[in-house]
Structure formats: structure tokens, C-alpha cells
Amino acid sequence: MAERAKEGIVAPTGLIAHGRGEAFDYLLGERTTENARRAEMTAVAFLLGGNRPVISVNGNTAALCAKEVVTLAQATRSRIEVNLFHRTEERVEAVCSFMEKAGAEEVLGRKADSLLPGISSDRAKCTKEGIYSADVVLVPLEDGDRAEALVKSGKKVIAIDLNPLSRTANAAHVTIVDEVTRAIPAMIEMVPELRRNGDRRLALINSFDNKRNLEEAMGIMCANLSSSRP
Ligand code: PTJ
């Protein structure tokens, strides 16, 4: 991450965000819980069922798992859009090129021609072909304002966020409380079985309750805290 920050892929505050994530991962036990697995399966069901699914990529996600994002996008026929919180043209170009070097054939985001309603700053910028017209959006490590705006625009929002208390985690329809480099490979493995099984996809989507999911994730963290010994 430090190297990617020097290259301008990761924003300076991206390093702080990474540390926040690590702190929650310690509480989680640095493993993919059963609860996270269920959220991951539901997320894959949403991506496979979407008409215009998009995976939104920021500096941290690119630095941590560019190749895996490309594989998941190919497997679920999702578009990739680079959408940055700390947006500069240089960083957009750097992250787009980084994704291309990782194997992405098409990366949206260089030409932001639309604005996501409900956000006033530069952070509203997105592409018409991608996030603006998407029906399902996967947002790893997203900020709260944008997650809420995506939900308000009527999209199904899937977040990957180790902090179950964050606004993003609470705004999303499906929140995967897992480290992104564990979550995305796990999701890739789930694709073949779920692609074949529409009934299973529907059952996952219909039975998923994000409030309960987040309560369970917090319960796991609290139990880990109270059971740990110095
Ligand atoms: O590259 P940019 O300009 O788009 O900026 C990206 C960051 C991440 C800096 C920006 O979106 C940001 O500040 O995000 P937040 O508000 O810190 O939210 C990121 C969330 O992701 C926090 O709740 C972290 O706990 C969580 N997080 C951090 N690292 C990981 C993580 N979740 C899963 N896996 C991680 N590795």
C-alpha cells in the first residue's frame, strides 16, 4: 500500500482508511466468517441477476486486488468503473491504467459524463454507461455519502466494508463484513455454482436481511473482544 501511495494509486488518506480496516479485521479474527460467506453469496446472486452490474474501483481496491476484481467482473459480466473519492485527473488515469495492466479489457471512468444525484462535490462524477445506468453496484470500501446516494438512486448496493458501524455498511442492501482480498476471491469461487442455479440465487436474495447480517458481524466482534486474553 505504501508503494502504491507513492505511485499515486492510493490516496494519502487511503493509508489511514486501510488502517481503520485492519483494526476491524483484528476484531473479526482476520477470517471470513459464515456470516460474511452468506453475504458474499447473496452479493454474487445480485451481480449475476443484474442487467447492468458495475464494480466500482477506488485506489485502495485497485492496489489490493486489481487482478481479482478483473476476474470477478469477467465471471459476473460486470463493468468496471474507476470512481474516486479524492478525484484528480492524474489519479483517475493512474488507477484506470493500473486496472488495464491487471487485465481489464474495458475500464470506465476516464470520461465522467454524468453526475450521481444527491452529491454536490466532484465525488458525484460517474459515467452514464457505467454507474449512472447500473442497477447493481458493488462498492468495496465506499464512503457513506456516495453509498447513500447510490441507494437513493434506486440501485441495489453491495458494500465490502470491515466496519459494520459505518454509514456505508448501514446504507447498503448487502454488506460484506470481510477483508476485500478475502471477499473477492471467495466470491469468484461462488460464481459457477450460482450461475447454474437461479432458484438458489432467488432464495439467497429473498432471505437476506442486512440489519441482521450487521448485528451478527458486530456480535462476532464483541464475542472475540470479550474472549481474548492478553
Ligand atoms: O481512492 P479514493 O480517492 O477513492 O479513496 C478511497 C478511500 C478508501 C480513501 C475513501 O473511499 C475513504 O476515505 O473511505 P472510508 O470512508 O475510510 O471508508 C472505507 C471503509 O472501508 C472503512 O469503513 C474501512 O473500515 C473499510 N476498509 C478499509 N480497508 C478495508 C476495508 N474494508 C474491507 N477490506 C479492506 N482492506
Side-chain angles (χ1 to χ4, degrees):
M1 291 296 277
E3 284 306 308
R4 298 288 98 87
K6 279 185 209 151
E7 292 162 11
I9 305 288
V10 171
T13 54
L15 294 176
I16 301 171
H18 188 67
R20 269 200 291 279
E22 279 182 330
F24 280 101
D25 204 21
Y26 296 142
L27 299 181
L28 195 63
E30 295 174 280
R31 70 200 161 91
T32 299
T33 62
E34 262 317 300
N35 157 275
R37 267 192 79 73
R38 194 167 55 242
E40 283 157 6
M41 279 202 278
T42 309
V44 171
F46 269 111
L47 288 172
L48 288 171
N51 290 319
R52 297 182 70 94
V54 172
I55 303 178
S56 177
V57 173
N58 61 19
N60 286 46
T61 307
L64 289 169
C65 52
K67 283 203 170 92
E68 292 79 1
V69 166
V70 172
T71 305
L72 181 65
Q74 284 165 350
T76 57
R77 297 192 180 88
S78 302
R79 316 289 290 268
I80 293 174
E81 176 163 335
V82 169
N83 199 274
L84 301 182
F85 184 83
H86 302 286
R87 188 186 176 90
T88 63
E89 291 315 309
E90 292 74 26
R91 278 195 71 226
V92 171
E93 180 51 42
V95 180
C96 286
S97 308
F98 194 78
M99 294 307 295
E100 284 160 355
K101 280 192 205 115
E105 279 170 19
E106 185 197 37
V107 180
L108 302 169
R110 282 186 176 96
K111 201 171 139 282
D113 52 7
S114 292
L115 294 175
L116 189 65
I119 309 180
S120 52
S121 64
D122 247 16
R123 289 182 285 148
K125 287 185 177 174
C126 61
T127 74
K128 191 168 177 47
E129 219 184 320
I131 288 177
Y132 187 81
S133 314
D135 57 346
V136 179
V137 188
L138 170 62
V139 285
L141 287 64
E142 183 59 280
D143 101 282
D145 286 345
R146 214 159 40 192
E148 285 173 357
L150 287 166
V151 170
K152 279 195 193 124
S153 342
K155 301 171 197 311
K156 290 289 173 202
V157 176
I158 304 158
I160 302 177
D161 194 331
L162 278 159
N163 178 2
L165 297 165
S166 77
R167 267 198 302 135
T168 296
N170 284 276
H173 297 99
V174 178
T175 302
I176 298 166
V177 183
D178 199 2
E179 211 280 328
V180 69
T181 65
R182 292 195 302 267
I184 293 194
M187 289 167 76
I188 293 167
E189 279 187 19
M190 291 166 184
V191 170
E193 194 212 319
L194 286 175
R195 189 192 283 124
R196 285 192 298 270
N197 197 336
D199 289 347
R200 176 100 177 94
R201 292 204 301 271
L202 208 61
L204 282 163
I205 288 171
N206 289 339
S207 63
F208 191 81
D209 175 346
N210 204 34
K211 195 167 178 290
R212 196 177 62 208
N213 168 52
L214 292 173
E215 279 165 5
E216 281 173 12
M218 280 186 274
I220 293 166
M221 290 183 184
C222 289
N224 284 343
L225 261 180
S226 55
S227 71
S228 19
R229 298 277 177 276

